[in-house]
Amino acid sequence: MTHPVPATPTTAANAPAPLDPLDRRIVAALQIDGRASWRRIADAIGEPERKVARRGLRLLESGDVAVRGLVVRGETVILRMTCRPGSVRDAAVAAARRADCIFSYALAGPVDCVAELQFPQGQLGPLMLDEVPALPGLFSQSVSPVLRYFRTVHEWSPGILDAGEIEALGGPSGTVDEIGLPDVEVGPEEWAILGALAEDGRRTHEDLAAVAGVSVATARRRVETLTRDGHVSIRAAVEPALLGLPVEALLWIRTRPDEVEKVGRLLVESPLVRYAAVVMGEHQLLVDVTQPSKAALYEFLTASPWVRHVEAVQSHLVVDAFKRSGVEFPTSSRRRS
């Protein structure tokens, strides 16, 4: 089911102005397949190829939209941080600059910052005991391992395209529920390709072949295999406000153990849920949701089907995002300029 994003949402004071409808559709196409050609995108959304290419290149060159390969390097944890006064930005930026950070947000509420970090198998201890405490401005920390995903931030697609358009782009990526590294070994050539895709997910097969020292045909096959096996996800990352969704919140949800699966599946029925994961700790689910207004967020928190199956919800407004889907974005100081 598609839930179109409103064309004229209620925009937060410090949020960037939303893109026009065509630009949103191009971004939505890149969220389905970050390596799709401009011709394929144009055919899927019914627009002239030259127009789509011109708009698409402008979006990428502006830095508002970035296509990156998010490489799976291990298991993940959610890091919650409280900070000394005046040091929230320093802590969130330091977390974002870690190569193993997937997202880093500053929040309004008793928790100042939240980040998702990857760690190699067996390295949770050093991460929690040595690396995290060294972050600047940190007052206290809480580390919660992720047990399962209903949706990751790199899968998110906000319902801008209809089912036919999505199918023309290769279809939705589906729900990812596994954590950790895929059970497929990666050699030096594959790692070279993964590193290049992490820098620019739209690098040509010719470029990737040169980086890895293989033929173009081999590079093409390696990209397809690495994507299919779950080593990398290549999609567009963008500020939700640019898609008309300026209100974003993180929810910690507590429910009965036998209701976790039901609640998770009900949550991801909404395309405005960017992320939903089962985590260890007092709350079983962590959810990232975007909405066009605070009134819409209120309705989501009080009238959605999933609400009937939960015991408690802690909600925190996202004040600033320093990293999304492994991509560092301009902070609020630049967005207000």
Side-chain angles (χ1 to χ4, degrees):
M1 182 178 295
T2 301
H3 299 256
V5 174
T8 55
T10 302
T11 305
N14 69 333
L19 301 171
D20 70 27
L22 177 55
D23 282 352
R24 295 191 213 182
R25 287 168 60 76
I26 294 171
V27 173
L30 290 171
Q31 287 180 309
I32 301 298
D33 181 0
R35 291 181 62 79
S37 67
W38 300 126
R39 173 178 293 181
R40 187 177 185 188
I41 292 174
D43 290 344
I45 66 177
E47 295 286 345
E49 181 183 350
R50 291 182 61 183
K51 186 176 183 180
V52 167
R54 184 176 69 251
R55 294 285 198 100
L57 289 171
R58 185 184 65 191
L59 288 167
L60 295 175
E61 291 169 357
S62 73
D64 289 332
V65 180
V67 176
R68 298 285 192 274
L70 185 65
V71 180
V72 178
R73 301 181 184 274
E75 299 183 9
T76 50
V77 295
I78 301 300
L79 170 63
R80 288 185 283 184
M81 299 172 280
T82 55
C83 306
R84 292 191 294 271
S87 62
V88 174
R89 183 184 297 275
D90 292 338
V93 168
R97 287 178 176 169
R98 291 178 57 97
D100 58 5
C101 178
I102 298 173
F103 62 75
S104 178
Y105 305 149
L107 307 179
V111 176
D112 294 317
C113 311
V114 168
E116 184 176 50
L117 307 177
Q118 297 189 65
F119 66 95
Q121 187 174 8
Q123 295 300 306
L124 178 58
L127 174 70
M128 185 176 69
L129 300 176
D130 303 320
E131 298 177 33
V132 169
L135 292 173
L138 194 65
F139 178 75
S140 66
Q141 68 184 58
S142 172
V143 175
S144 301
V146 175
L147 299 179
R148 172 205 196 317
Y149 288 109
F150 289 98
R151 178 175 293 155
T152 68
V153 290
H154 215 61
E155 293 177 280
W156 179 57
S157 181
I160 292 173
L161 303 181
D162 63 33
E165 292 165 335
I166 292 173
E167 186 64 29
L169 290 161
S173 58
T175 300
V176 172
D177 60 4
E178 296 182 358
I179 58 173
L181 291 168
D183 294 327
V184 181
E185 292 189 7
V186 176
E189 295 172 353
E190 287 88 352
W191 277 118
I193 291 173
L194 288 172
L197 291 172
E199 295 176 357
D200 181 358
R202 290 185 67 81
R203 292 189 71 165
T204 66
H205 290 112
E206 288 78 9
D207 286 344
L208 296 174
V211 167
V214 298
S215 70
V216 174
T218 298
R220 182 179 290 105
R221 288 196 301 271
R222 298 286 170 82
V223 171
E224 293 173 353
T225 300
L226 290 167
T227 303
R228 183 182 63 248
D229 291 344
H231 281 284
V232 64
S233 175
I234 308 168
R235 292 164 43 87
V238 63
E239 282 283 348
L242 290 172
L243 302 180
L245 299 165
V247 177
E248 182 175 9
L250 289 188
L251 315 177
W252 277 269
I253 298 174
R254 187 170 70 239
T255 186
R256 287 165 43 97
D258 60 351
E259 294 274 32
V260 170
E261 188 75 16
K262 178 183 291 185
V263 173
R265 294 192 179 280
L266 287 172
L267 281 162
V268 295
E269 286 182 1
S270 169
L272 302 188
V273 169
R274 300 182 66 247
Y275 175 95
V278 180
V279 296
M280 298 184 71
E282 180 183 357
H283 296 85
Q284 290 82 19
L285 289 157
L286 173 61
V287 177
D288 180 348
V289 61
T290 54
Q291 294 288 339
S293 66
K294 288 182 179 178
L297 177 61
Y298 174 79
E299 183 176 358
F300 179 81
L301 291 172
T302 59
S304 300
W306 61 268
V307 174
R308 297 193 296 270
H309 304 279
V310 305
E311 296 177 351
V313 179
Q314 288 186 1
S315 56
H316 303 258
L317 200 66
V318 174
V319 176
D320 214 339
F322 297 88
K323 199 171 195 179
R324 295 186 183 279
S325 294
V327 179
E328 291 187 58
F329 278 100
T331 62
S332 58
S333 60
R334 172 175 163 182
R335 290 203 296 266
R336 287 194 294 265
S337 63

